[in-house]
């Protein structure tokens, strides 16, 4: 597979030479209007865990097979995945072959959820999806999320395949992020109900769970990250359930829906745009999955700099319409040609 030739690439970031006041960037994008259709689940029965690790429910099948791990609540305000895992546990879903671990990564953050200010409960101390580098995990620094990651590490290091369950703040097409591992891309092909997979290298701000060497190194285990839809929507819960069942169904003897296909569109991220100022503004409120037809199109301003698409038919992956300085603002991706 290739992503097409790169000989037509244009600059991504262009410094503006004319005075700042000559052309002000657009005003900040308004926050989306949230319709909160779901509530955080009661995880009381599972918080102690059953394998010596709080928040981890682990089960062994009678026949040998891979260790499948489903992780929810890496971000406390993204609890669609926790609702799905809670339902599966209450229905007493068990593996017939291999091992199955259902993980509630940061339930303490979820307890901070307030419908009046729903984005505040993303974490307790820091983003838990930026702490998974071995150097940081081995460091002496402590935070709630780092300490939780260290507790969960024995489960992560024995996973053969892992699905990390997330949702999105801003509107966009649901997708599966695969990292750069070929195994991750193959795992994404098994996920039902999602039409788009995106291979990427993560964020400058820190290492995601799916980028841990357990999953990123050649010949390693497989992991991918599901962005099932917008936060707090029933459709997101249903899409998450379908994705999880498509992964654990074979080992648990559950039927898999065949009326919804696996990803049919595949893209590879070529550029990660990190906000260098607190004045990063898009020219309009782009949706994730939007395709900008012409290369060289100005899609944002970062202070005085223009951010432009580097090639024709450039896909915008998960634009953060109000990024803080140092955060990923958007990723540019090319469609993969089979």
């Amino acid at each position: 597979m290739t992503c097409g030739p790169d000989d037509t690439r244009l600059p991504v970031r262009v410094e503006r030479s004319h005075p700042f006041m000559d052309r002000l960037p657009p005003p900040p994008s308004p926050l989306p209007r949230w319709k909160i259709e779901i509530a955080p689940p009661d995880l009381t029965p599972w918080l102690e865990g059953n394998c010596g690790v709080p928040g981890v429910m682990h089960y062994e099948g009678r026949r040998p097979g891979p260790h499948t791990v489903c992780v929810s609540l890496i971000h406390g305000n993204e609890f669609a995945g926790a609702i799905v895992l809670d339902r599966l546990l209450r229905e007493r879903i068990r593996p017939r072959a291999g091992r199955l671990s259902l993980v509630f990564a940061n339930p303490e953050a979820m307890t901070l959820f307030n419908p009046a200010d729903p984005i505040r409960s993303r974490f307790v101390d820091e983003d838990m999806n930026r702490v998974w580098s071995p150097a940081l995990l081995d460091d002496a620094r402590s935070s709630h999320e780092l300490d939780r990651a260290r507790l969960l590490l024995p489960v992560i290091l024995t996973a053969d395949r892992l699905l990390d369950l997330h949702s999105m703040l801003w509107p966009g097409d649901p997708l599966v992020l695969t990292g750069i591992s070929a195994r991750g891309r193959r795992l994404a092909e098994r996920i039902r109900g999602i039409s788009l997979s995106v291979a990427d290298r993560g964020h400058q701000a820190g290492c995601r769970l799916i980028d841990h060497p357990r999953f990123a190194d050649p010949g390693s285990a497989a992991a991918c990250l599901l962005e099932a839809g917008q936060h707090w929507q029933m459709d997101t819960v249903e899409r998450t359930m379908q994705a999880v069942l498509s992964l654990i169904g074979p080992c648990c003897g559950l039927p898999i829906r065949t009326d919804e296909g696996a990803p049919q569109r595949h893209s590879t991220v070529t550029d990660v745009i990190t906000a260098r100022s607190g004045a990063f503004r898009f020219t309009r409120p782009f949706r994730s999955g939007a395709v900008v037809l012409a290369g060289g199109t100005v899609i944002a301003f970062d202070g005085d700099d223009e951010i432009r698409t580097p090639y024709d038919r450039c896909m915008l992956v998960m634009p953060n319409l109000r990024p803080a300085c140092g955060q990923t603002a958007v990723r540019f991706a090319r469609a993969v040609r089979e």
Side-chain angles (χ1 to χ4, degrees):
M1 295 188 299
T2 65
C3 299
D6 282 340
D7 54 356
T8 57
R9 276 188 62 92
L10 299 168
V12 168
R13 183 180 290 270
V14 177
E15 295 183 3
R16 299 167 62 193
S17 59
H18 47 276
F20 174 74
M21 292 301 295
D22 184 46
R23 183 171 158 206
L24 289 174
S29 299
L31 290 172
R33 294 183 178 180
W34 296 298
K35 183 179 180 182
I36 299 178
E37 300 176 350
I38 58 177
D42 178 12
L43 302 181
T44 304
W46 327 119
L47 293 180
E48 187 176 344
N50 69 346
C51 61
V53 182
V56 178
M57 301 299 293
H58 179 80
Y59 302 98
E60 304 270 345
R62 294 184 177 180
R63 301 193 305 274
H67 182 194
T68 301
V69 179
C70 295
V71 179
S72 68
L73 291 181
I74 286 287
H75 296 134
N77 62 337
E78 301 178 24
F79 47 79
I83 291 174
V84 167
L85 300 191
D86 175 61
R87 288 179 182 175
L88 294 174
L89 287 165
R90 293 179 188 276
E91 293 172 8
R92 300 184 63 81
I93 300 300
R94 301 289 187 268
R96 297 180 179 180
R99 298 179 291 169
L100 176 64
S101 297
L102 304 181
V103 178
F104 302 99
N106 199 355
E108 292 82 2
M110 188 185 71
T111 64
L112 304 176
F113 181 75
N114 179 357
D117 192 8
I119 63 175
R120 295 289 184 182
S121 56
R122 184 174 173 85
F123 50 78
V124 176
D125 292 325
E126 62 179 315
D127 191 333
M128 195 174 181
N129 217 23
R130 304 291 184 270
V131 303
W132 292 95
S133 70
L136 189 54
L137 292 169
D138 291 341
D139 192 74
R141 184 170 74 81
S142 179
S143 74
H144 173 77
E145 279 73 21
L146 256 175
D147 294 342
R148 277 294 292 164
R150 290 167 181 143
L151 281 175
L152 297 174
L153 196 56
V155 180
I156 304 307
L157 292 177
T158 58
D160 296 304
R161 53 193 186 189
L162 179 143
L163 182 60
D164 189 10
L165 306 173
H166 290 255
S167 53
M168 299 185 287
L169 175 63
W170 301 98
D173 299 339
L175 55 87
V176 179
L177 293 170
T178 68
I180 60 173
S181 164
R183 289 175 180 256
R185 292 192 290 272
R186 288 195 295 270
L187 180 64
E189 294 173 356
R190 304 181 57 172
I191 305 301
R192 298 282 176 170
I194 305 294
S195 63
L196 174 65
S197 75
V198 177
D200 73 331
R201 292 181 177 272
H203 302 269
Q204 290 185 4
C207 183
R208 301 173 301 185
L209 174 56
I210 67 168
D211 301 321
H212 186 277
R214 174 69 181 176
F215 311 112
D217 289 347
S220 59
C224 54
L225 186 157
L226 173 70
E227 295 284 2
Q230 266 195 288
H231 299 337
W232 317 309
Q233 304 295 302
M234 279 303 305
D235 285 350
T236 301
V237 176
E238 293 167 4
R239 201 174 290 113
T240 302
M241 177 65 82
Q242 187 174 0
V244 171
L245 290 178
S246 67
L247 183 62
I248 73 170
C251 72
C252 295
L254 301 173
I256 299 176
R257 287 177 55 180
T258 58
D259 57 331
E260 294 286 350
Q264 299 299 313
R265 296 185 294 150
H266 306 276
S267 293
T268 296
V269 168
T270 59
D271 302 88
V272 178
I273 311 304
T274 301
R276 296 180 182 175
S277 74
F280 193 106
R281 301 289 182 263
F282 286 88
T283 58
R284 61 184 175 88
F286 291 100
R287 284 176 55 91
S288 180
V291 175
V292 179
L293 296 179
T297 300
V298 177
I299 59 101
F301 298 93
D302 190 0
D304 291 344
D305 295 350
E306 294 176 344
I307 306 300
R308 302 182 182 187
T309 54
Y311 39 77
D312 293 344
R313 299 198 58 80
C314 178
M315 178 183 287
L316 308 188
V317 178
M318 296 186 66
N320 177 356
L321 300 187
R322 295 186 70 171
C325 182
Q327 289 185 337
T328 298
V330 66
R331 285 161 274 193
F332 293 150
R334 279 188 193 268
V336 171
R337 299 174 186 175
E338 300 290 344

